[in-house]
């Protein structure tokens, strides 16, 4: 991912280039950390690689640990806005605020489209007799989505909160240059405070993880990982984690790998089996993309159903979220949510018959025709399927290709009303859902 972000930074809008640079810089710093640094990290180095077996805060750190290896997207956006202030040629506070608003709008629009980044694959040299068809196709720039499966709400609320800091400074210090310096100073403090939010949440939330308990989580949340890793490695509690797989990005499976590396017993469960396993768990713990004014949350799709199921069976439902994700939205239902993942299209969701894949050892049987009549199409000479009805891009014999008449809906997030949430673990402390509106007033006053 670090290479993808660096490549993208060369071809994007300057603001997006800066955003990709900050994200790639945090990823690179994590990947080059020394073993002793990894032992003090409270999360993974990136979405795919656990930060060593330690994976959590060092027991000798007193629970604070070192700064998380990965920079949250809203914090990276704040760093971008600080650079906008440094580069801005504005001579008035109004002009500076306009520059910041423009940069914020560019980042939010980028996030609304899923964070598309282009990447050209680098292939080994081909022999003179090799066909060029596959090579030509694979050498074309492919589109990756940096924010696939996520919403833009956290980035938007972080930017809005930072702009509020700027407005406060302009009221306190009328002289422009002094005000600019004050904004930079406060912005750095705000970014630093936000970066440390996960550690504070881990401290306030870990006491709720009891010895011998079974915790059910959904998808991948770095703050949930930090909390559970602290409970296991600093407070030495023994518990088990059940993780819903987190389709379509396998976020839950990635989290399970992190927990296993830290020695925490973990089980991956099908998303659709949440009701089946709910009666065996002691609590549900999820993250959030955003916490709205009425105390509800926006999170990975499936969280709403998980909350309903937990309440029906009397299982506590906890949410861990940073305060910069508190947003001034007031949805009453899922229809009120802003559009998310715009432009990702049907390529963001594939349907794979994993049972057939496993039963027939797909890797060794890619050249065998699929004749079960499910519409997967014939196998091409390149080892993939060629559908006669739609989608010839899937080079896998067990991908179920659908005709154009079948529509695909793949929402990245859903809204969970406050009534299904027991408590929220935040860097401001443990809150009830009803306290969120008071905190929002305080944050934006």
């Amino acid at each position: 991912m670090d290479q993808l972000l660096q490549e993208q930074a060369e071809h994007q809008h300057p603001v997006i280039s800066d955003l990709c640079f900050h994200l790639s810089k945090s990823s690179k710093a994590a990947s080059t950390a020394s073993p002793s640094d990894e032992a003090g990290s409270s999360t993974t180095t990136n979405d795919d690689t656990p930060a060593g077996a330690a994976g959590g805060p060092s027991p000798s750190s007193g629970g604070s640990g070192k700064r998380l290896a990965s920079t949250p997207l809203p914090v990276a956006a704040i760093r971008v806005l600080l650079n906008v202030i440094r580069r801005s040629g504005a001579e008035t506070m109004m002009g500076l605020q306009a520059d910041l608003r423009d940069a914020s709008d560019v980042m939010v629009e980028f996030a609304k489209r899923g964070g598309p980044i282009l990447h050209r694959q680098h292939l080994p040299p081909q022999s003179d007799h090799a066909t060029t068809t596959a090579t030509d196709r694979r050498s074309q720039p492919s589109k990756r989505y940096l924010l696939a499966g996520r919403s833009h709400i956290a980035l938007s609320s972080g930017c809005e909160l930072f702009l509020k800091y700027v407005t406060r400074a302009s009221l306190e210090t009328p002289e422009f240059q002094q005000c600019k310096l004050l904004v930079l100073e406060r912005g750095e403090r705000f970014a630093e405070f936000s970066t440390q939010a996960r550690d504070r949440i881990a401290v306030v939330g870990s006491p709720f993880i009891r010895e011998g308990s079974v915790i059910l989580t959904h998808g991948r949340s770095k703050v949930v990982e930090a909390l559970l890793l602290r409970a296991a490695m600093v407070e030495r509690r023994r518990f088990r984690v059940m993780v819903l797989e987190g389709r379509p990005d396998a976020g839950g499976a990635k989290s399970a790998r992190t927990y296993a590396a830290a020695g925490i017993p973990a089980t991956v469960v099908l998303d659709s089996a949440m009701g089946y396993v709910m009666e065996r768990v002691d609590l549900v713990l999820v993250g959030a993309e955003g916490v709205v004014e009425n105390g509800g949350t926006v999170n990975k799709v499936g969280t709403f159903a998980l909350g309903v199921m937990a309440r029906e069976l009397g299982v506590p439902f906890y949410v861990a979220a940073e305060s910069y994700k508190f947003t001034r939205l007031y949805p009453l239902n899922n229809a009120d949510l802003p559009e998310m993942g715009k432009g990702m299209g049907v390529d963001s969701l594939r349907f794979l018959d994993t049972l057939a894949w496993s039963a027939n050892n797909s890797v060794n049987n890619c050249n065998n025709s699929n004749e079960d009549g499910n519409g997967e199409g014939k196998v091409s000479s390149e080892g993939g399927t060629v559908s006669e009805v739609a989608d010839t891009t899937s080079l896998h014999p067990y991908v179920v290709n659908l005709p154009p008449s079948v529509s695909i809906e793949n929402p990245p997030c859903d809204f969970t009303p406050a009534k299904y949430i027991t408590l929220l673990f935040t860097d401001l402390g443990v809150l009830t859902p009803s306290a969120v509106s008071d905190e929002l007033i305080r944050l934006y006053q």
Side-chain angles (χ1 to χ4, degrees):
M1 179 59 73
D2 180 47
Q3 180 183 353
L4 288 176
L5 292 173
Q6 289 182 349
E7 289 179 0
Q8 185 68 6
E10 300 174 0
H11 306 288
Q12 272 283 9
H13 187 288
V15 169
I16 302 305
S17 298
D18 201 9
L19 181 65
C20 291
F21 168 76
H22 282 287
L23 292 172
S24 67
K25 191 166 92 171
S26 66
S27 174
K28 189 172 184 180
S31 63
T32 58
S34 65
S36 61
D37 288 339
E38 289 181 350
S41 172
S42 58
T43 187
T44 57
T45 56
N46 53 49
D47 282 349
D48 295 319
T49 307
S58 168
S60 63
S61 67
S64 60
K66 295 189 177 183
R67 181 184 299 180
L68 294 171
S70 59
T71 300
L73 182 65
V75 178
I78 292 168
R79 299 284 186 195
V80 171
L81 294 179
L82 288 171
N83 285 341
V84 170
I85 294 174
R86 295 185 181 100
R87 295 191 303 261
S88 176
E91 297 180 352
T92 64
M93 205 62 210
M94 184 174 296
L96 180 61
Q97 288 176 322
D99 288 346
L100 291 171
R101 178 61 65 185
D102 289 344
S104 175
D105 290 344
V106 168
M107 289 189 288
V108 169
E109 182 60 29
F110 175 72
K112 283 182 178 179
R113 293 184 287 114
I117 57 178
L118 297 177
H119 171 57
R120 185 181 295 275
Q121 294 183 348
H122 302 287
L123 303 174
Q126 298 289 322
S127 66
D128 295 337
H129 302 288
T131 59
T132 59
T133 304
T135 301
D136 291 342
R137 181 172 61 250
R138 291 172 60 200
S139 63
Q140 293 297 317
S142 60
K143 185 176 287 188
R144 296 280 300 276
Y145 290 92
L146 179 64
L147 308 179
R150 298 183 57 189
S151 79
H152 65 278
I153 293 175
L155 185 146
S156 180
S157 61
C159 289
E160 186 177 0
L161 198 55
F162 178 81
L163 291 173
K164 185 63 180 178
Y165 272 67
V166 175
T167 302
R168 286 180 188 171
S170 65
L171 296 175
E172 295 174 11
T173 311
E175 204 281 317
F176 177 67
Q177 291 301 327
Q178 289 184 0
C179 181
K180 192 172 179 179
L181 292 175
L182 179 62
V183 169
L184 287 172
E185 179 186 348
R186 288 185 176 180
E188 289 290 352
R189 287 206 306 265
F190 178 63
E192 188 67 24
F193 180 86
S194 300
T195 301
Q196 297 169 355
R198 291 174 184 167
D199 289 333
R200 292 194 295 273
I201 294 171
V203 170
V204 302
S206 57
F208 288 81
I209 309 300
R210 300 187 180 278
E211 182 75 16
S213 59
V214 179
I215 296 98
L216 179 61
T217 71
H218 179 43
R220 184 167 209 192
S221 165
K222 296 296 184 66
V223 68
V224 168
E225 288 181 4
L227 192 159
L228 293 178
L229 290 171
R230 175 186 168 83
M233 305 193 66
V234 177
E235 300 176 2
R236 302 297 183 185
R237 294 200 186 96
R238 292 172 296 180
F239 56 88
R240 292 193 301 116
V241 180
M242 303 188 80
V243 189
L244 298 180
E245 63 172 329
R247 281 270 291 160
D249 64 349
K254 295 171 185 175
S255 272
R257 200 163 54 182
T258 299
Y259 299 137
I264 302 173
T267 303
V268 178
V269 182
L270 289 173
D271 291 337
S272 55
M274 64 175 71
Y276 180 81
V277 301
M278 184 65 72
E279 59 191 27
R280 288 188 269 155
V281 306
D282 298 299
L283 63 93
V284 176
L285 177 61
V286 298
E289 292 289 323
V291 180
V292 300
E293 284 193 59
N294 56 22
T297 62
V298 178
N299 193 43
K300 184 176 180 67
V301 68
T303 305
F304 178 29
L306 191 60
V308 174
M309 192 71 63
R311 187 186 187 194
E312 181 66 23
L313 295 182
V315 177
F317 187 90
Y318 299 125
V319 176
E322 303 92 328
S323 59
Y324 57 72
K325 292 181 178 178
F326 286 20
T327 180
R328 293 187 293 183
L329 295 176
Y330 204 100
L332 298 179
N333 51 44
N334 281 283
D336 291 339
L337 290 180
E339 185 178 16
M340 293 173 281
K342 180 175 63 178
M344 289 179 62
V346 298
D347 287 342
S348 61
L349 185 63
R350 297 290 182 184
F351 301 98
L352 179 65
D353 186 347
T354 56
L355 288 178
W357 184 17
S358 175
N360 295 288
N361 190 6
S362 172
V363 174
N364 296 326
N365 289 281
C366 283
N367 293 322
N368 297 327
S369 296
N370 192 320
E371 299 177 353
D372 60 4
N374 288 333
E376 287 83 356
K378 298 179 180 179
V379 180
S380 73
S381 60
E382 297 167 3
T385 60
V386 178
S387 171
E388 296 180 356
V389 291
D391 192 1
T392 61
T393 63
S394 301
L395 300 179
H396 196 292
Y398 298 108
V399 169
V400 180
N401 291 314
L402 300 173
S405 59
V406 177
S407 60
I408 296 175
E409 189 168 351
N410 183 25
C413 299
D414 60 22
F415 166 63
T416 303
K419 66 181 180 180
Y420 298 110
I421 299 170
T422 307
L423 290 171
L424 294 103
F425 304 145
T426 77
D427 49 301
L428 305 176
V430 179
L431 305 177
T432 61
S434 60
V436 171
S437 59
D438 293 335
E439 290 298 334
L440 273 167
I441 292 173
R442 188 183 66 80
L443 286 171
Y444 285 93
Q445 68 183 1

